Amino acid sequence: MGRWEPNSRARLEQAAHELYLDRGFDRTTVADIAARAGLTERTFFRYFADKREVLFGGSGLLHDLLVESVGAAPASTAPLAAVVTALEAVGDSLFADRRDGARRRQQVIDANIELQERELIKLASLAAAVAAALRRRGVPDPAAVLAAEAGIAIFRTAFGRWIAEDSRTDLAGHVRESLAELKAVTAGG
Amino acid sequence: MGRWEPNSRARLEQAAHELYLDRGFDRTTVADIAARAGLTERTFFRYFADKREVLFGGSGLLHDLLVESVGAAPASTAPLAAVVTALEAVGDSLFADRRDGARRRQQVIDANIELQERELIKLASLAAAVAAALRRRGVPDPAAVLAAEAGIAIFRTAFGRWIAEDSRTDLAGHVRESLAELKAVTAGG
């Protein structure tokens, strides 16, 4: 199995992001990534099934955390409040101190149509999972679907603002700001 | 060019939908569709570039109508109100009397993962175009993006309810109902 390398996963991820940005996603191989990280391909495959999973492997955890957190909200919590609280929790846990990596990943995605499509599909499946979690709380449709879609729109907006700047506002703070903006937009519509 | 066939486009569309539902999208050919409609392949290609365009060819018109209508709203109209008015106009013009076709098309899409992904991408590009139309009205981000995303969520919800039933409520009526539901969801969040 080779000797233990400290922080291999993060090194592989950073090497992959840099190569995807320099050469393009399509022209980068797993061998390139491992070499740049100073690790073996075998080590790469201990963490990722393929080069696309470097970008999307985290979405399973995001999905699980969101669904769990929506389910754990007090019964009296309104649907969108449950979703927003879950998004704040995700911001605090999953993304804290990971802004540079998140920004690089987004640059990679923005540079490749196929990856953008994959990201859209992941986000749509996240919205569907959140809507299902709301239904299990007894929220009827269309409120469940609309709260889930609104939540994902809030998340995307907050995420985009969080990685666009280096302000001290964390992702959870941007989520709260985006919720306030959405409330203003819908109240005015 | 062959003699003129009345209503060829609608006949081809209906034949295609039926075959996609019976055999699956992947196992249907343009020759099958033309034969079922009692027309030639040459006539098919006068209306559609390929068998996927039977399902997605209308999205260009939907895109143009929405963008134009958002741009034409009075300057004082709030962002989401401009989007919802555009959606109602689309419902009244593009979809009036087309519920059966819209329902069949949705059944085809729901049965095929690849088509579902294509539909998601089309809707995301519609949201981006609506956000751009709002920006041209002077709406800043993130209000432009949030109003556009909210509008598309309203449209999807309204569309799903419209094709799910045979009530007398038209698509525009469902759009207004979904807007009211979204307002309730965001006010409660």
Side-chain angles (χ1 to χ4, degrees), chain A residues 128-172:
Chain A
V130 168
L134 288 171
R135 276 182 215 111
R136 286 194 293 275
R137 291 173 61 80
V139 178
D141 275 320
V145 168
L146 288 169
E149 296 281 346
I152 297 303
I154 287 168
F155 182 70
R156 291 176 65 177
T157 304
F159 196 85
R161 300 177 102 185
W162 178 60
I163 61 174
E165 49 173 64
D166 282 308
S167 81
R168 298 180 56 144
T169 308
D170 60 8
L171 181 52

Side-chain angles (χ1 to χ4, degrees), chain A residues 78 117 121 142 157 183 186 188-189, chain B residues 78 117 120-121 142 157 183 186 188-189:
Chain A
E117 296 186 353
I121 290 158
T157 304
K183 280 173 182 280
T186 48
Chain B
E117 295 185 354
L120 268 180
I121 290 158
T157 304
K183 281 173 181 281
T186 49

Side-chain angles (χ1 to χ4, degrees), chain A residues 43-129:
Chain A
T43 302
F44 178 95
F45 289 116
R46 220 181 291 154
Y47 296 99
F48 306 106
D50 56 38
K51 66 176 181 170
R52 201 158 76 172
E53 211 189 311
V54 180
L55 299 168
F56 296 105
S59 66
L61 190 55
L62 176 59
H63 172 285
D64 293 351
L65 276 174
L66 272 185
V67 165
E68 194 182 311
S69 176
V70 167
S76 61
T77 309
L80 186 58
V83 176
V84 168
T85 303
L87 292 170
E88 289 176 50
V90 161
D92 285 338
S93 61
L94 213 51
F95 291 98
D97 303 318
R98 300 198 60 197
R99 181 147 53 177
D100 289 342
R103 182 184 292 134
R104 272 199 315 269
R105 175 187 178 278
Q106 194 61 48
Q107 287 168 339
V108 172
I109 305 247
D110 289 346
N112 184 301
I113 288 279
E114 196 210 319
L115 296 175
Q116 287 167 38
E117 296 186 353
R118 185 55 41 197
E119 179 85 333
L120 268 180
I121 290 158
K122 290 273 181 180
L123 286 167
S125 116
L126 207 57

Side-chain angles (χ1 to χ4, degrees), chain B residues 8-131:
Chain B
S8 301
R9 189 191 176 93
R11 280 164 59 191
L12 287 162
E13 192 175 270
Q14 177 159 356
H17 287 167
E18 288 168 3
L19 286 164
Y20 297 164
L21 286 174
D22 287 352
R23 301 183 189 180
F25 176 77
D26 293 331
R27 280 186 296 278
T28 301
T29 67
V30 168
D32 296 334
I33 297 166
R36 178 138 178 167
L39 297 163
T40 63
E41 286 186 64
R42 185 167 177 167
T43 302
F44 178 95
F45 289 116
R46 219 179 294 154
Y47 296 98
F48 307 106
D50 55 37
K51 67 177 182 170
R52 202 159 73 170
E53 212 189 309
V54 180
L55 299 168
F56 296 104
S59 65
L61 189 56
L62 176 59
H63 172 286
D64 294 350
L65 276 174
L66 272 184
V67 165
E68 193 183 314
S69 175
V70 167
S76 61
T77 309
L80 186 58
V83 177
V84 167
T85 303
L87 292 170
E88 289 176 52
V90 161
D92 284 340
S93 60
L94 213 52
F95 291 99
D97 304 319
R98 299 196 61 196
R99 180 146 56 178
D100 289 342
R103 182 184 290 134
R104 270 198 318 267
R105 174 187 179 278
Q106 194 61 48
Q107 288 168 339
V108 171
I109 304 236
D110 289 346
N112 185 302
I113 289 277
E114 195 211 320
L115 296 175
Q116 287 166 39
E117 295 185 354
R118 186 56 38 198
E119 178 84 333
L120 268 180
I121 290 158
K122 290 273 181 181
L123 286 167
S125 114
L126 207 55
V130 168

Side-chain angles (χ1 to χ4, degrees), chain A residues 3 8 22 26 42 75 109 117 157 160 166 175 177-178 183:
Chain A
R3 65 197 169 81
S8 303
D22 288 351
D26 293 330
R42 186 165 175 168
I109 305 247
E117 296 186 353
T157 304
D166 282 308
V175 165
E177 276 182 29
S178 293
K183 280 173 182 280

